[in-house]
Amino acid sequence: MTTYSHSRLSTFEKCPLSYKYKYLDKIKPEIPFTGIEAYMGSTVHESIEYLYRRQKKMPNDDIPLILILDKYETVWNENMSEAIQVVKEGMKKEDYFLQGKKILADYYKKHQPFDKEKTLSMEERIDVNIEGFKIMGFVDRLAVSNVTGNLEIHDYKTSGRLPQIGDLQNDRQLSLYQIGARKKYPEYNENNAEIVYHYLRFNEEFRFHKTEEELSAVKNEIVDLIQTIEFSSWENNFKPHVSKLCQWCEFSTLCPAFQNSVNHPV
Ligand code: SF4
């Protein structure tokens, strides 16, 4: 049986054909491609993970900002390759490197000395079973509030756009993680678990409590989506969805719909 993940579900929603290329045909792009935005995001994530892992290990030690920034620079340089590409005109890799550095410095200043919660884990795998469908994901950070005792599900975003509050309220990913985390950590105020989105470029955070009704709606939505995916697989019918996102798609060179749109622009 297929195990789904949030990114697998989102890939189908954005473009069924790219879902087929990636998850069913398992095509590896001839020229590997990673957008620099995603690269900067993953390097920032790794640096934040380092920060909290270190704090968990040595809770009484101060963590100097320079240590986090050094980690960021090391990871950035070690993993940099030709596959990491800049798409936006007028931007250079260095610009994104500096953006990431600023993001980390701002986050550090806002949260230092990092004593509002106790971190339970970083990048922990969460498994959820909904009506026989298996879904898994990795939570950026699970923590318990030192003030309320609530379980907290933290997610770090490096998007350059602030979301609409309604989008966050309806967000599927963290609701899913909340369902899984509550089961895994029943000893904490699981009914009041809180979802915390960090929009790092804006140094802003958004907190939500999900009601049982909201969680139940998310479960229904996921079941509907998985059934649609499985029906498409059964019919072998995966329609392309040409959009602005195609320029970041790793399959754009082999996708007939995209190539057609380039050769015959509307
Ligand atoms: S290039 Fe666009 S239409 Fe083609 S697979 Fe990728 S996202 Fe879908």
Side-chain angles (χ1 to χ4, degrees):
M1 175 184 268
T2 306
T3 299
Y4 289 90
S5 64
H6 171 71
S7 58
R8 188 168 179 140
L9 297 176
S10 303
T11 301
F12 182 87
E13 284 176 312
K14 283 182 199 139
C15 174
L17 183 58
S18 73
Y19 174 91
K20 177 177 183 292
Y21 286 151
K22 185 167 183 170
Y23 293 105
L24 304 185
D25 301 344
K26 299 190 191 311
I27 293 175
K28 298 271 175 256
E30 274 174 37
I31 306 166
F33 168 80
T34 303
I36 188 81
E37 295 87 349
Y39 183 72
M40 187 266 279
S42 65
T43 312
V44 165
H45 269 80
E46 204 168 323
S47 308
I48 291 177
E49 184 180 340
Y50 172 76
L51 187 165
Y52 283 107
R53 281 196 194 283
R54 190 183 159 102
Q55 194 222 18
K56 194 163 153 46
K57 213 164 147 189
M58 294 178 269
N60 298 322
D61 280 17
D62 277 346
I63 306 170
L65 174 60
I66 189 72
L67 203 67
I68 311 306
L69 297 181
D70 281 353
K71 174 73 180 174
Y72 172 74
E73 188 161 355
T74 304
V75 175
W76 181 278
N77 290 332
E78 274 176 4
N79 297 333
M80 181 51 74
S81 74
E82 289 300 308
I84 320 292
Q85 289 174 32
V86 178
V87 172
K88 267 195 191 163
E89 267 181 41
M91 294 291 283
K92 303 186 297 294
K93 286 184 179 176
E94 175 72 7
D95 298 325
Y96 290 93
F97 172 73
L98 294 176
Q99 278 179 11
K101 224 171 167 178
K102 178 171 184 322
I103 282 172
L104 285 169
D106 288 346
Y107 181 83
Y108 180 94
K109 283 176 203 149
K110 183 169 178 178
H111 295 279
Q112 200 258 350
F114 311 102
D115 57 358
K116 292 212 173 64
E117 331 82 27
K118 183 176 97 178
T119 297
L120 297 174
S121 63
M122 301 294 297
E123 293 295 329
E124 180 169 350
R125 178 174 170 148
I126 295 285
D127 288 280
V128 181
N129 195 318
I130 304 175
E131 294 188 22
F133 296 119
K134 288 184 178 173
I135 305 122
M136 58 78 75
F138 292 89
V139 181
D140 284 346
R141 185 163 74 98
L142 272 173
V144 179
S145 165
N146 287 331
V147 182
T148 61
N150 288 345
L151 189 61
E152 294 183 348
I153 295 117
H154 290 257
D155 192 60
Y156 296 93
K157 309 268 191 212
T158 50
S159 156
R161 191 177 65 85
L162 268 181
Q164 301 288 328
I165 295 300
D167 291 344
L168 293 182
Q169 262 157 352
N170 296 325
D171 176 52
R172 178 180 63 218
Q173 183 182 17
L174 293 207
S175 303
L176 195 59
Y177 294 167
Q178 177 174 340
I179 294 165
R182 290 195 324 178
K183 273 214 159 138
K184 208 162 181 179
Y185 292 97
E187 64 272 41
Y188 299 110
N189 259 345
E190 77 269 25
N191 289 331
N192 287 323
E194 199 165 30
I195 287 174
V196 189
Y197 296 92
H198 298 266
Y199 275 78
L200 296 169
R201 283 204 204 204
F202 306 91
N203 212 7
E204 292 238 18
E205 68 180 47
F206 301 93
R207 292 176 171 260
F208 295 92
H209 284 289
K210 293 273 177 167
T211 62
E212 289 307 316
E213 291 73 28
E214 285 169 326
L215 293 177
S216 173
V218 168
K219 286 184 192 171
N220 290 340
E221 184 199 315
I222 289 170
V223 169
D224 284 351
L225 180 55
I226 292 178
Q227 283 173 339
T228 305
I229 294 173
E230 302 215 332
F231 191 63
S232 293
S233 304
W234 181 72
E235 283 195 312
N236 194 21
N237 181 11
F238 294 91
K239 290 196 168 54
H241 179 220
V242 178
S243 72
K244 275 187 191 159
L245 298 177
C246 291
Q247 55 186 322
W248 283 277
C249 176
E250 55 197 332
F251 307 112
S252 58
T253 53
L254 60 92
C255 169
F258 178 66
Q259 292 304 324
N260 196 34
S261 75
V262 171
N263 296 330
H264 306 97
V266 200

